[in-house]
Amino acid sequence: MDTHGPIDIEPGHSVVFLTGAGISAESGIRTFRDARGLWEEHRVEEVASPEGFAADPALVWRFYAQRRAQALTVAPNPAHHALADLERTLGPERFFLATQNVDHLHEAGGSKDVVHMHGELFRTRCSDEDCPTLPFHDERHDFPTLPRCSCGALQRPHIVWFGEIPFEMHTIKRRVQACDLFVTVGSSGVVYPAAGLVREMLYRQEQGERVRSVYVGLERPENANAFDAVILGKAGEVLPGLFRVLGA
Ligand code: APR
């Protein structure tokens, strides 16, 4: 399906959104896969894994410093604004947003509650898992020396690296299992567990529940067959006006 009318959200119904790199593409954030998995001459796994950080923390911080500097220059697009509007209309009981993106564009677009399952570019934490210091907001993007926690250990980006477990999966799954409509936007459907969330909706349909799932993005994702509808297009063009909240 690539033509579409509005999708109705009925009174009392709730929606869960899962967003991926595609929603930030029109804002100018390059994805890992755009760059064919390479940064400068390095494989992304070298700069985005616990092993990579242990081997060369300076390289890893240089990578994230560059990404932070780039993220500071971009602005949200109409897709981010559309989701913020829907959150305002539906409220926290009926709207839930989880993103795989580490950028801050949902918040910059006005979203209040965003679950960053892969962490956040503008947060830093202590690399010692036993240190009580909490992750903190951090826009630094120039590191003359490696940043250290007051406990003495190195600080690290608050990012879920390859081989690490995404944040808040329990909450996300619970919300998906309770929603009436699940919408994925701009995610190639290859990185799990995010790509598997739509299967919860299939399972519920098999149990006789009348729930729906929709994908919005530029091309068919790997997991396209699991969705009830696939709407092809740019997120910033498709999302504004896609949803009609009945009784609002
Ligand atoms: N609007 C909608 N979709 C778009 C747009 C756009 N303007 N531009 C690109 N896309 C689509 C692409 O067609 C692609 O299917 O967005 C998807 C982006 O896919 P990926 O780059 O694989 O991003 P994502 O699925 O979010 O990656 C998941 O993998 O790299 C790791 O941890 C990183 O969170 C990331 C995760």
Side-chain angles (χ1 to χ4, degrees):
M1 151 170 173
D2 47 17
T3 52
H4 53 85
I7 295 171
D8 288 340
I9 300 172
E10 290 172 30
H13 278 191
S14 66
V15 191
V16 169
F17 281 88
L18 169 69
T19 64
I23 200 168
S24 295
E26 287 156 81
S27 296
I29 293 209
R30 260 162 62 94
T31 67
F32 283 161
R33 258 160 285 274
D34 274 346
R36 295 181 208 288
L38 288 179
W39 171 69
E40 297 184 350
E41 70 279 23
H42 305 281
R43 284 183 306 113
V44 166
E45 289 77 3
E46 270 179 66
V47 287
S49 67
E51 296 77 18
F53 187 71
D56 193 345
L59 180 76
V60 172
W61 266 116
R62 197 156 64 75
F63 173 65
Y64 284 101
Q66 255 188 34
R67 295 189 74 195
R68 281 183 179 177
Q70 195 226 352
L72 285 168
T73 68
V74 299
N77 68 57
H80 297 104
H81 291 299
L83 296 194
D85 286 347
L86 205 53
E87 180 183 27
R88 271 190 293 276
T89 306
L90 293 173
E93 302 293 320
R94 298 177 61 199
F95 179 96
F96 182 81
L97 170 58
T99 185
Q100 298 170 84
N101 300 340
V102 297
D103 66 54
H104 61 305
L105 291 176
H106 281 301
E107 289 87 346
S111 287
K112 294 280 169 274
D113 269 332
V114 187
V115 171
H116 282 271
M117 55 190 295
H118 290 170
E120 290 173 74
L121 198 48
F122 291 129
R123 284 175 93 74
T124 295
R125 71 169 191 260
C126 181
S127 62
D128 180 348
E129 298 297 327
D130 298 325
C131 175
T133 308
L134 295 173
F136 59 94
H137 184 83
D138 186 10
E139 295 187 8
R140 289 174 299 171
H141 52 278
D142 185 20
F143 297 98
T145 57
L146 278 172
R148 280 189 189 277
C149 180
S150 54
C151 77
L154 287 177
Q155 290 176 337
R156 59 163 278 179
H158 189 52
I159 299 274
V160 176
W161 283 329
F162 290 99
E164 295 185 320
I165 297 168
F167 298 140
E168 301 202 48
M169 276 318 290
H170 182 72
T171 307
I172 297 169
K173 266 202 179 154
R174 197 168 44 76
R175 292 297 295 247
V176 173
Q177 285 163 353
C179 76
D180 299 281
L181 172 65
F182 174 71
V183 185
T184 299
V185 183
S187 179
S188 54
V190 295
V191 174
Y192 283 77
L197 286 169
V198 63
R199 305 226 158 259
E200 300 283 346
M201 301 304 277
L202 274 183
Y203 174 76
R204 293 176 60 201
Q205 287 171 346
E206 283 161 18
Q207 305 302 305
E209 288 192 63
R210 291 171 51 130
V211 292
R212 289 175 297 163
S213 61
V214 177
Y215 179 81
V216 176
L218 218 45
E219 58 211 340
R220 284 177 69 80
E222 283 282 311
N223 56 354
N225 290 340
F227 290 90
D228 298 318
V230 173
I231 300 173
L232 296 181
K234 290 186 174 182
E237 292 170 6
V238 175
L239 283 186
L242 181 60
F243 301 98
R244 188 168 59 182
V245 181
L246 302 180

